């Protein structure tokens, strides 16, 4: 008898992810917490399929109220969308080449009101630009004003492929094909560090510079940087130590396409061009293990959930996959039809909102969702769960507080 | 096993009225496997008995089925449903990537992909065929036949050029695809198809190659543009591969040539066949073949007149392809991104197919 090929879903924690694909569509995937309803499903689709609006770069600001997603498209358009309902808040046309990467600032600058936000974009030929975009609340018209923005050149030649901004949003990192990794102070706008290519190997062969992905190892520490190169290497740079990599790890034979650091500041996760996903402990440079799960297409983007031990990856095979970090098992896979370019997680999603009955009804059915929302008040167990979770969290908090206190005592 | 159990049930029903001892005896006897009997005479006797019974049962079944059919025909009722045998294909594992006909994203994706300009007839396919660096015996023969199959194909000697250089050259000369035939031990064993200028690169394993001269009663193809048949490319990946093959051939088949090129996908193997077909009047065929029965044929002629049959003549080559990988962008082994690679861990079941 045929076995069904659906992956066994081993209790996916509640999450809400947005996926971005080559046809310019944004799809919202939600997994509800609970015993039955934890299979992730496509809830919404924003936008119409149009190849010229292929999404190339994405950044999310997942604050509590009014979360925003910045979307850079192939035709040079930059859009600011609401992460909750997909309303277009603002749009700008970017000049000067295709967008390589972008970052939406999370901290709000004092002189700017909450109605505007700051965006760092970088084009593939190295033009970085800080701009503030005013948000119009009405979704229909988007008369955004391009405030005096600051532009500078990151590199003179080569193409920028990756960039990253550290947790405090003071430093930005750029690298690419033929561009050595360099770090910029965003306030002073000057280059405070640049990498040096590793020496020739014992056969006197020099591998050309080609960075494909970059990330800060720790959120609060801007000094340690992890990058992935096209020559299947993962390197750790310490800007306080030296200009050459501290550790470099070789992994199989296809280029590293996505790198992300874990919360603990040691472990990193990276994906390759042939669909392998692995984790490495960056203190020792040892590979902790691979994530095995029939992943057949190049991995383009990985995100780490800030609370639960899961990561989500997406890539050219059109699947969004959710992995457990401890067992390195595949929790679930959602087929999203197109080649995906990016994925982001909306971390404010709690999963308790609709009831467990939502699992039975089709998520696209708006009426069903409405009904569920009505039923929401009547159902007990979900609420209980929430309270228990809260307890857990509070316990954690207490623990951490205790620790802090102890440390203080010491 | 299932059959045996049935027989036991029957026997049990028949012997129900008789003594308990006998019943237990017969049941016990039928449980004995012939292979467990050590005496050869006894064993063969038991085995023959079982076999005979099986045969009888089968005949009975077919008779009953035929009778039911006949009865239904006479009464003008609906015929009893024909049983479809279970095959690996129709018990295929459920696959969510199978394309659905009402999927607007699929068609939008098709409009946007690399092959759409050829398939919409905006540009004419122009193919560059080359080989691996060492090429002899069956390789050149296969290429000469490929040249006769694919219209507007040009063979270029490989020399010592890098494939990346060839891609560059072909881009400058406005080729739309490159086909590389790889030979190992003088036997073609792989096929790389690169869509230009930026299209995907498919890497196929090539096996079971039969050249034209080895096909019995083969025909020689004409210069007409062939018709193309693509079978069973159902999933997203299959669609993409199918469209890639589609873009190798011109989109205006010359039906006068009666030439068909078939790519048939079955269990992830793509079978290539090249035929010429012909329509024949049945009456002429009868008069040719049945020299003796001309009289009978004359009577039948009036009824069969005007009925035509199609005949096929194979005009090689004949080969089988299996997809190994589909790469995003043109050929690049070191820095390439894959859209799909076959990995050992994906072979979890023999009923799981990707195309």
């Amino acid at each position: 008898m045929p076995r069904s090929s659906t992956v066994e879903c081993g209790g996916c924690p509640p999450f809400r992810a947005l996926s971005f694909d080559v046809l310019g569509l944004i799809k919202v995937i939600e997994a509800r917490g609970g015993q039955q309803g934890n299979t992730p499903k496509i809830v919404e689709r924003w936008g119409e399929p149009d190849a010229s609006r292929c999404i190339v770069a994405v950044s999310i600001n997942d604050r509590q109220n009014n979360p925003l997603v910045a979307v850079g498209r192939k035709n040079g358009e930059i859009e600011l969308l609401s992460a909750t309902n997909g309303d277009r808040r603002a749009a700008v046309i970017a000049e000067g080449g295709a967008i390589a990467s972008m970052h939406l600032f999370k901290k709000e600058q004092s002189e700017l009101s909450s109605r505007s936000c700051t965006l760092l974009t970088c084009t593939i030929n190295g033009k970085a630009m800080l701009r503030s975009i005013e948000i119009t609340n009405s979704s229909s018209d988007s008369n955004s004003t391009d405030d005096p923005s600051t532009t500078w050149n990151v590199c003179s030649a080569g193409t920028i492929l990756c960039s990253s901004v550290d947790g405090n949003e003071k430093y930005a990192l750029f690298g690419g094909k033929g561009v050595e990794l360099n770090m910029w102070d965003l306030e002073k706008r000057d280059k405070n560090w640049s990498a040096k290519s590793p020496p020739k190997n014992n056969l006197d062969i020099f591998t050309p510079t080609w960075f494909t992905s970059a990330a800060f190892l720790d959120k609060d520490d801007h000094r340690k940087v992890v990058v992935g190169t096209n020559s299947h290497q993962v390197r750790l740079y310490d800007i306080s130590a030296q200009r050459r990599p501290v550790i470099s790890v070789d992994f199989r034979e296809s280029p590293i396409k996505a790198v992300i650091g874990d919360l603990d500041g040691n472990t990193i996760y990276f994906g390759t061009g042939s669909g392998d996903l692995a984790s490495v402990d960056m203190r020792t440079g040892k590979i902790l293990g691979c994530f095995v799960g029939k992943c057949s297409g190049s991995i383009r983007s990985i995100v780490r959930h800030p609370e639960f031990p899961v990561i989500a990856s997406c890539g050219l095979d059109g699947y969004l996959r959710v992995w457990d970090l401890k067992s390195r098992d595949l929790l679930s896979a959602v087929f999203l039809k197109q080649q995906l370019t990016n994925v982001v997680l909306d971390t404010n999603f709690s999963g308790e909102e609709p009831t467990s009955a939502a699992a039975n009804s089709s998520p696209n059915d708006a009426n069903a969702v409405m009904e569920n929302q009505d039923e929401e008040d009547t159902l007990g167990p979900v609420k209980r769960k929430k309270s228990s979770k809260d307890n857990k969290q509070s316990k954690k908090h207490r623990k951490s507080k205790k620790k802090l206190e102890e440390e203080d005592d010491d | 096993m299932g059959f045996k159990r049935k027989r036991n049930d029957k026997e049990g029903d028949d012997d129900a009225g008789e003594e308990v001892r006998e019943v237990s005896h017969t049941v016990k006897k039928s449980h004995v496997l012939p292979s467990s009997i050590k005496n050869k005479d006894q064993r063969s006797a038991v085995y023959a008995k079982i076999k005979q019974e099986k045969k009888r049962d089968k005949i009975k079944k077919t008779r009953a089925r035929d009778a039911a059919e006949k009865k239904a025909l006479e009464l003008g009722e609906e015929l009893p449903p024909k049983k479809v045998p279970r095959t690996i294909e129709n018990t295929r594992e459920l696959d969510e990537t199978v394309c659905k006909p009402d999927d607007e994203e699929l068609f939008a994706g098709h409009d946007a992909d690399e092959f759409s300009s050829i398939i919409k007839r905006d540009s004419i396919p122009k193919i560059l065929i080359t080989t691996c660096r060492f090429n002899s015996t069956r390789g050149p023969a296969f290429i000469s036949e490929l040249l006769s199959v694919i219209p507007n194909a040009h063979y270029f000697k490989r020399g010592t050029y890098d494939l990346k250089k060839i891609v560059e050259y072909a881009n400058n000369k406005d080729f739309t695809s490159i086909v590389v035939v790889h030979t190992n031990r003088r036997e073609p064993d792989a096929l790389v198809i690169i869509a230009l200028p930026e299209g995907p690169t498919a890497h196929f394993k090539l096996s079971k190659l039969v050249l034209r001269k080895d096909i019995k009663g083969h025909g020689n193809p004409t210069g007409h543009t062939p018709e193309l048949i693509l079978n069973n490319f159902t999933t997203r990946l299959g669609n993409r591969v199918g469209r890639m093959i589609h873009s190798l051939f011109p989109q205006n088949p010359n039906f006068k040539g009666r030439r068909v090129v078939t790519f048939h996908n079955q269990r992830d193997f793509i079978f290539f066949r090249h035929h010429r077909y012909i329509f024949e009047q049945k009456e002429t065929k009868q008069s040719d073949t049945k020299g003796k029965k001309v009289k009978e044929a004359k009577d039948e002629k009036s009824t069969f007149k005007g009925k035509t049959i199609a005949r096929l003549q194979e005009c090689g080559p004949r080969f089988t392809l299996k997809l190994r990988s589909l790469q995003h962008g043109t050929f690049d082994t070191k820095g390439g991104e894959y859209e799909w690679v076959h990995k050992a861990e994906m072979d979890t079941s023999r009923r799981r197919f990707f195309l």
Side-chain angles (χ1 to χ4, degrees):
Chain A
M1 285 305 288
R3 283 185 294 161
S4 67
S5 67
T6 48
V7 250
E8 302 82 16
C9 190
C12 214
F15 71 91
R16 183 169 188 267
L18 307 180
S19 76
F20 305 87
D21 63 30
V22 290
L23 286 185
L25 300 176
I26 304 170
K27 287 175 184 171
V28 186
I29 299 101
E30 282 183 12
R32 313 268 181 220
Q35 271 132 357
Q36 314 118 14
N38 47 14
T39 344
K41 276 173 189 153
I42 305 169
V43 182
E44 276 177 275
R45 198 190 87 179
W46 302 335
E48 288 301 313
D50 179 5
S52 66
R53 288 165 63 77
C54 165
I55 295 167
V56 287
V58 161
S59 177
I60 190 169
N61 179 7
D62 49 351
R63 56 190 174 199
Q64 276 292 336
N65 55 339
N66 196 8
L68 282 176
V69 189
V71 173
R73 298 193 187 259
K74 205 179 180 180
N75 54 9
E77 206 175 326
I78 298 172
E79 283 181 349
L80 278 176
L81 306 172
S82 158
T84 45
N85 51 13
D87 282 347
R88 192 154 122 166
R89 292 293 165 82
V92 199
I93 301 292
E95 293 98 22
I99 302 155
S101 63
M102 60 194 337
H103 181 84
L104 190 61
F105 281 82
K106 291 189 175 69
K107 72 175 173 197
E108 278 161 24
Q109 280 151 8
S110 53
E111 72 264 31
L112 296 169
S113 67
S114 64
R115 287 173 59 80
S116 77
C117 58
T118 321
L119 188 71
L120 171 70
T121 58
C122 185
T123 61
I124 54 167
N125 42 23
K127 266 189 188 150
M129 187 185 269
L130 260 177
R131 61 178 105 205
S132 58
I133 300 169
E134 202 161 310
I135 300 162
T136 51
N137 270 334
S138 59
S139 57
S140 54
D141 66 329
S142 52
N143 44 349
S144 66
T145 51
D146 209 346
D147 279 354
S149 49
T150 45
T151 317
W152 73 96
N153 265 329
V154 175
C155 63
S156 51
T159 50
I160 298 285
L161 292 176
C162 53
S163 87
S164 179
V165 174
D166 77 322
N168 297 328
E169 299 183 327
K170 277 181 184 165
Y171 299 95
L173 203 66
F174 300 97
K177 185 182 179 182
V179 183
E180 276 297 344
L181 201 66
N182 47 48
M183 192 179 283
W184 290 74
D185 191 326
L186 287 178
E187 282 165 5
K188 295 174 202 155
R189 264 167 226 102
D190 61 341
K191 196 196 279 187
N192 61 349
W193 180 80
S194 71
K196 203 173 169 186
S197 52
K200 292 174 182 174
N201 65 1
N202 56 354
L203 297 173
D204 233 23
I205 295 168
F206 174 74
T207 41
T209 316
W210 193 338
F211 294 104
T212 49
S213 53
F216 283 90
L217 186 59
D218 202 338
K219 257 193 172 179
D220 308 318
D221 189 7
H222 74 273
R223 281 167 299 188
K224 282 186 179 175
V225 172
V226 196
V227 292
T229 68
N230 196 54
S231 50
H232 53 90
Q233 262 185 345
V234 181
R235 293 184 191 153
L236 173 71
Y237 285 94
D238 191 342
I239 71 161
S240 56
Q242 60 190 36
R243 290 179 64 197
R244 282 190 166 143
V246 182
I247 294 174
S248 70
V249 185
D250 273 18
F251 182 75
R252 295 194 184 166
E253 277 168 352
S254 41
I256 310 294
K257 287 289 173 188
V259 168
I260 195 163
D262 202 351
L263 303 177
D264 61 3
N266 309 320
T267 321
I268 59 151
Y269 308 99
F270 59 91
T272 70
S274 61
D276 299 310
L277 190 64
S279 66
V280 165
D281 191 334
M282 263 305 155
R283 288 172 295 189
T284 55
K286 272 186 183 160
I287 291 170
L288 295 173
C290 290
F291 294 79
V292 189
K294 300 172 188 171
C295 190
S296 56
S298 166
I299 290 169
R300 281 284 178 90
S301 165
I302 309 172
V303 274
R304 167 79 166 87
H305 199 283
E307 287 158 40
F308 303 108
V310 288
I311 52 171
S313 75
C314 75
L316 293 187
D317 60 348
Y319 273 98
L320 173 82
R321 289 164 209 270
V322 184
W323 309 83
D324 183 39
L325 288 183
K326 277 174 192 148
S327 59
R328 284 192 287 275
D329 279 338
L330 183 65
L331 290 179
S332 67
V334 193
F335 181 57
L336 298 170
K337 295 182 184 174
Q338 263 71 250
Q339 298 179 351
L340 305 175
T341 57
N342 277 293
V343 62
V344 292
L345 287 178
D346 183 1
T347 50
N348 297 316
F349 179 72
S350 52
E352 284 112 12
E353 208 177 317
T355 58
S356 55
N360 303 329
S361 65
S362 65
N364 296 332
D365 203 342
N367 295 331
V369 174
M370 291 287 279
E371 281 169 27
N372 287 331
Q373 277 171 349
D374 292 339
E375 285 170 20
E376 170 185 11
D377 298 340
T378 56
L379 262 135
V382 181
K383 280 208 164 176
R384 222 186 298 146
K385 196 160 261 164
K386 185 183 176 184
S387 61
S388 68
K389 214 171 258 166
D390 287 347
N391 281 339
K392 267 186 194 171
Q393 280 181 352
S394 58
K395 265 183 198 172
K396 264 187 195 170
H397 277 295
R398 252 179 267 153
K399 267 188 187 173
S400 55
K401 268 181 191 172
K402 265 185 192 174
K403 265 188 189 172
L404 282 174
E405 281 165 13
E406 281 167 13
E407 278 169 9
D408 287 344
D409 292 340
D410 291 338
Chain B
M1 283 304 286
F3 160 73
K4 256 189 184 171
R5 223 170 278 147
K6 259 183 204 166
R7 200 155 55 92
N8 289 349
D9 292 345
K10 261 189 192 171
E11 279 176 7
D13 289 339
D14 292 340
D15 301 339
E18 291 176 33
E19 288 175 22
V20 184
R21 205 171 138 197
E22 246 191 58
V23 171
S24 66
H25 180 71
T26 51
V27 169
K28 203 179 173 186
K29 201 178 174 184
S30 64
H31 264 301
V32 172
L33 281 171
S35 59
S36 65
I37 302 170
K38 282 187 177 169
N39 185 314
K40 189 171 182 180
D41 279 347
Q42 280 181 22
R43 184 172 65 235
S44 51
V46 170
Y47 180 67
K49 202 177 167 190
I50 290 173
K51 207 179 174 189
Q52 201 187 7
E53 236 165 278
K54 263 187 188 174
K55 204 178 169 186
R56 207 185 295 141
D57 225 46
K58 203 177 174 185
I59 290 168
K60 214 188 264 174
K61 250 187 192 171
T62 48
R63 271 192 192 145
R65 196 173 58 217
D66 288 349
E69 224 163 80
K70 212 176 175 186
K71 200 178 167 191
L73 262 180
E74 271 175 7
L75 294 173
E77 286 172 1
E78 251 179 60
L79 292 173
K82 261 192 179 170
K83 278 180 185 170
V84 183
R86 268 217 302 255
T87 58
I88 287 187
E89 286 99 324
N90 63 23
T91 55
R92 165 183 189 159
E93 271 189 11
L94 209 69
D95 193 350
E96 55 203 339
T97 67
V98 169
C99 297
K100 292 173 187 81
D102 56 340
D103 192 354
E104 53 147 349
E105 287 174 35
L106 174 71
F107 297 114
H110 279 177
D111 287 341
D113 74 359
E114 297 91 340
F115 322 112
S116 68
S117 76
I118 291 174
I119 290 172
K120 283 179 184 164
R121 304 191 189 187
D122 292 339
S123 55
I124 300 156
K126 188 181 172 193
I127 318 297
L128 189 151
I129 297 183
T130 187
T131 59
C132 60
R133 286 195 180 164
F134 306 101
N135 184 36
S136 75
T137 344
R138 294 249 285 176
F142 176 52
I143 282 170
S144 70
E145 290 186 8
L146 265 189
L147 285 171
S148 71
V149 170
I150 305 173
N152 202 8
H154 308 272
Y155 171 65
F156 282 74
K157 273 188 186 166
R158 174 68 184 265
T160 52
Y161 293 107
D162 289 339
L163 205 46
K164 281 187 185 174
K165 284 271 154 52
I166 293 173
V167 168
E168 221 169 86
Y169 170 82
N171 261 333
N172 291 336
K173 295 274 177 186
D174 289 330
F175 281 95
T176 56
S177 308
I178 298 177
V179 176
V180 184
V181 179
H182 187 267
T183 13
N184 186 21
R185 296 180 173 182
R186 294 174 292 285
E187 180 70 32
D189 74 335
L191 203 68
V192 179
I193 301 177
I194 308 170
L196 297 177
E198 60 216 6
T201 305
H203 183 202
F204 294 99
K205 181 178 86 178
L206 192 149
S207 56
K208 295 267 160 62
L209 173 67
V210 181
L211 294 177
R212 186 175 301 146
K213 69 174 176 31
D214 301 324
I215 294 172
K216 229 180 180 180
H218 69 83
N220 288 318
T222 52
H224 300 91
T225 49
E227 299 160 43
L228 186 66
I229 299 175
L230 297 167
N231 273 346
N232 285 346
F233 291 94
T234 50
T235 63
R236 286 271 166 167
L237 179 70
N239 246 269
R240 206 160 157 70
V241 172
R243 280 176 74 85
M244 189 172 198
I245 294 168
H246 196 172
S247 72
L248 289 178
F249 290 88
Q251 308 301 308
N252 49 344
N254 191 341
F255 294 104
K256 268 197 177 155
R258 306 195 312 273
R259 235 180 106 193
V260 197
V261 169
T262 314
F263 286 87
H264 174 84
N265 170 37
Q266 191 168 1
R267 307 185 190 174
D268 280 357
F269 288 94
I270 302 167
F271 297 96
F272 172 89
R273 296 291 182 272
H274 183 198
H275 292 286
R276 193 160 52 193
Y277 61 90
I278 192 160
F279 293 116
E280 277 185 340
Q281 298 288 320
K282 191 152 190 184
E283 52 177 18
T284 57
K285 194 194 167 195
Q286 271 181 344
S287 59
D288 282 341
T289 52
K290 296 176 184 173
K292 283 181 188 173
K293 300 175 182 175
V294 177
K295 279 181 188 174
E296 287 176 34
K298 265 185 186 173
D299 299 333
E300 286 173 13
K301 250 184 191 175
S302 55
T303 54
F304 277 110
K305 205 170 187 180
K307 205 169 191 182
T308 52
I309 55 158
R311 275 204 306 135
L312 282 179
Q313 183 183 32
E314 189 165 357
C315 29
R318 186 195 288 173
F319 58 86
T320 306
L321 298 172
K322 186 157 202 261
L323 186 66
R324 274 186 179 153
S325 68
L326 185 68
Q327 197 179 47
H328 190 70
T330 54
F331 183 82
D332 185 358
T333 43
K334 266 192 176 169
E337 265 185 299
Y338 289 93
E339 286 176 27
W340 184 84
V341 206
H342 186 265
K343 290 179 184 170
E345 70 202 42
M346 298 196 288
D347 294 327
T348 48
S349 156
R350 53 202 290 243
R351 294 170 203 279
R352 185 165 188 243
F353 303 117
F354 301 100
L355 289 183

